[in-house]
Amino acid sequence: MEIAPGAHHFRRALTIDEQRALADRCRALMDGPVPAYVPIVRGGGTMHVRMLCLGRHWNAQTYQYESTRTDYDGLPAPPLPPEFQALARDIAGRAGMSLDPDLCILNFYEADGRMGLHQDKDEGPVSIAAGIPVVSVSVGDTARFLFGGLKRRDPVEAMSLCSGDAFVFGGPARLRYHGVSRITPHTAPPELGFSGRFNVTFRQSDEACRALS
Ligand code: SIN
Ligand code: MN
C-alpha cells in the first residue's frame, strides 16, 4: 500500500518462516563476535535500542559511516550477508524502486525501546538526491511507527508496524521524518517464541553509488 508518494507499507511481506529465519540471523549477529551495543549519540543521550551495523558502521558521535566502530570498540562492521541484500532488493522492487544496499542497521527494541523522530540523511548526497530508498523490515513485537513530513514540525501519522511488515521510503519520501514511539510487548506471533522487536533498515551509501557508476 502506498501511503504517500514514495512511501510504501507492505503488511506481512515475510512469511512466519521467513520472520523466524530473519530473527534467528539477527540474534546470532547481535550476540556474535562484533556484538550489538547501545549507542550514545552526539548530544550525550543514550539510545533506546541495541544496534549493530552491517556493511558499514554508523558512528553515533559523528553521524557518518565508517568501516570500523571508532565511537565504540574499534571492531570492524561485519559484512552484510548476501541473503539480506537479496531481501532488500526484492522488497524495494515490490515498491517499484531499486536499491543496491551496502549497509544495514539492525536494531533490537526491548519492551521500553523507542526511537525519536529523525531523518535518515547520512547515506550521502548522491544516494539521497537520487531518492534511493531505505527498506525497513520488522520482526517481533508491534511498533507504533511515526511517519512525518520533511520538516520536524510537520504532522505525523502513526501506524502499526507488525511482525513481517516492510516499509519503504524513497523518491520524494526519502527524507521524511520518522520514529518509533513505543513497542507493544507480547504482540509478536507466538510461533516466533520471543518478545522484543528486530528492525533492519537497508540503505545504499554514496560509496556504493560510486562503486556502481
Ligand atoms: C529507524 O528509523 O532507523 C528504525 C525504524 C524502525 O525501527 O521501524
Ligand atoms: Mn531512520
Side-chain angles (χ1 to χ4, degrees):
M1 175 158 107
E2 187 166 34
I3 62 150
H8 303 253
H9 181 191
F10 299 99
R11 284 220 172 273
R12 304 288 140 116
L14 269 58
T15 65
I16 196 76
D17 289 338
E18 290 168 333
Q19 293 171 42
R20 188 180 297 109
L22 182 61
D24 288 348
R25 194 74 198 267
C26 288
R27 191 175 301 108
L29 283 161
M30 289 187 131
D31 296 336
V34 183
Y37 73 110
V38 179
I40 296 172
V41 295
R42 203 152 53 186
T46 300
M47 290 186 78
H48 299 275
V49 292
R50 279 213 309 142
M51 179 180 288
L52 175 65
C53 302
L54 308 174
R56 288 174 71 68
H57 173 71
W58 179 75
N59 182 313
Q61 293 294 314
T62 62
Y63 292 15
Q64 288 181 349
Y65 289 100
E66 58 192 15
S67 51
T68 58
R69 315 200 294 188
T70 65
D71 61 327
Y72 185 57
D73 56 9
L75 290 173
L80 181 59
E83 60 271 32
F84 275 32
Q85 260 167 335
L87 173 69
R89 281 201 194 99
D90 173 50
I91 291 170
R94 294 189 217 176
M97 296 189 219
S98 76
L99 168 69
D100 202 12
D102 59 330
L103 65 101
C104 168
I105 300 184
L106 212 167
N107 288 312
F108 184 73
Y109 296 75
E110 309 264 4
D112 60 352
R114 60 185 189 274
M115 192 174 290
L117 270 189
H118 65 279
Q119 292 171 296
D120 288 357
K121 58 178 183 189
D122 303 326
E123 290 70 31
V126 175
S127 176
I128 288 169
I132 296 173
V134 173
V135 166
S136 154
V137 181
S138 303
V139 176
D141 288 334
T142 300
R144 184 170 186 267
F145 181 70
L146 305 178
F147 195 60
L150 295 173
K151 297 200 197 83
R152 183 177 287 280
R153 284 155 187 253
D154 285 346
V156 297
E157 186 183 339
M159 60 190 93
S160 290
L161 287 187
C162 303
S163 194
D165 285 9
F167 193 83
V168 179
F169 52 106
R174 178 61 178 77
L175 284 178
R176 288 178 72 152
Y177 277 85
H178 58 279
V180 171
S181 58
R182 62 179 159 76
I183 300 302
T184 311
H186 314 300
T187 47
E191 308 93 292
L192 292 180
F194 71 91
S195 52
R197 171 179 186 258
F198 293 101
N199 173 264
V200 285
T201 50
F202 298 96
R203 305 138 192 255
Q204 183 173 331
S205 77
D206 278 4
E207 297 264 318
C209 294
R210 270 193 290 276
L212 288 172
S213 65

